[in-house]
Amino acid sequence: LNSLHNQTYSNYEHIVVDGGSFDKTLDIIKENENKIDFWMSKKDRGIYDAFNQGMSLSRGDIIGFLNSDDYYYSNQTLNYVEEAFRNNQDIDFIFGPVKKHWALLYGYKPWKIHFSWGFYSSHSTGFFIKSNSAKKVGLYNLKYKYSSDYDYFFRMIVKEKLKGIGISKNKIFGVFRRGGFSSRINFIDHFKEEISIRLDNKQNKF
């Protein structure tokens, strides 16, 4: 919350979607209530259901996601986002550099999507998309529990042919922290779902 509220760019709408937490999450939300435009807390069907609810509630021109265990790297992140869309009027989305564990992930290589999911920096903190473009892609598919973002990006890039760019590695957007949802996934379950996503999207299984 602090990494967002400390941004020097202030023309944003902050929506918090919580899946009915029983820890101190609600206390923290209420302590920051005056800085949050809208928040909700109720049982949902997982992280991608929360993404869908947040997108449906959003009224802004650009949508970004900030998971509860991630944060923006500096107070300039939203300035980088605004600058990228202002200077590239024809794009639909951007991927910004993100620090993840020991590495800095940056760049965007769409040609890799046909054989690798390592074609972009990060979903949370690094990904921003125009709301009108997001409507073309649709919602995250709740059939996929672990990697619905892969399916979303496949539809976005391959099926809808939306245009995006990667931001310079010098403009770090955020930090992807250890211990989140993705770090607790069994490798085999994750791998099976990745294959399923490719097959469901009529991609060659190899």
Side-chain angles (χ1 to χ4, degrees):
L1 295 182
N2 290 338
S3 74
L4 173 62
H5 298 156
N6 290 336
Q7 294 293 306
T8 59
Y9 183 87
S10 59
N11 185 23
Y12 62 81
E13 175 189 42
H14 187 194
I15 297 171
V16 176
V17 180
D18 172 62
S21 297
F22 292 102
D23 53 15
K24 295 183 179 180
T25 296
L26 292 184
D27 294 334
I28 295 172
I29 291 174
K30 290 175 181 178
E31 288 172 4
N32 291 270
E33 206 164 21
N34 64 321
K35 301 175 185 177
I36 298 172
D37 293 283
F38 177 85
W39 69 271
M40 60 187 291
S41 179
K42 66 177 183 178
K43 185 175 176 58
D44 56 34
R45 296 173 60 189
I47 188 171
Y48 298 111
D49 189 17
F51 287 167
N52 287 341
Q53 293 183 56
M55 286 199 299
S56 298
L57 291 165
S58 173
R59 298 171 297 173
D61 296 324
I62 298 168
I63 296 172
F65 301 93
L66 184 61
N67 289 337
S68 60
D69 51 348
D70 301 334
Y71 56 93
Y72 292 133
Y73 184 70
S74 76
N75 62 6
Q76 295 298 310
T77 296
L78 295 189
N79 285 321
Y80 297 153
V81 174
E82 188 277 332
E83 178 185 52
F85 281 103
R86 173 166 41 85
N87 293 338
N88 301 273
Q89 297 286 323
D90 61 333
I91 62 171
D92 298 288
F93 61 89
I94 61 173
F95 286 113
V98 170
K99 285 194 170 187
K100 182 177 181 181
H101 306 335
W102 60 87
L104 175 64
L105 307 179
Y106 64 93
Y108 168 54
K109 301 177 178 63
W111 51 272
K112 276 189 173 184
I113 196 172
H114 295 288
F115 61 88
S116 169
W117 296 117
F119 64 90
Y120 67 104
S121 57
S122 171
H123 183 217
S124 178
T125 75
F127 174 62
F128 290 83
I129 184 171
K130 290 179 178 176
S131 56
N132 288 336
S133 302
K135 290 176 182 177
K136 296 177 183 178
V137 184
L139 298 176
Y140 287 83
N141 191 336
L142 302 188
K143 171 184 176 180
Y144 311 117
K145 297 179 181 179
Y146 317 119
S147 305
S148 191
D149 51 330
Y150 290 167
D151 171 72
Y152 189 90
F153 290 155
F154 197 96
R155 287 185 281 131
M156 177 179 77
I157 297 165
V158 179
K159 292 191 173 182
E160 298 299 331
K161 295 179 171 51
L162 299 190
K163 184 178 180 181
I165 60 172
I167 306 303
S168 167
K169 67 178 182 179
N170 298 320
K171 298 178 178 179
I172 301 175
F173 276 31
V175 176
F176 185 98
R177 296 180 63 189
R178 289 178 180 270
F181 174 71
S182 60
S183 67
R184 300 192 297 269
I185 301 170
N186 180 283
F187 172 79
I188 295 300
D189 291 337
H190 199 182
F191 181 71
K192 287 180 178 178
E193 186 167 281
E194 289 176 2
I195 297 298
S196 177
I197 289 170
R198 291 203 178 278
L199 295 177
D200 291 346
N201 281 290
K202 297 180 173 55
Q203 176 80 349
N204 188 302
K205 67 178 65 176
F206 300 108

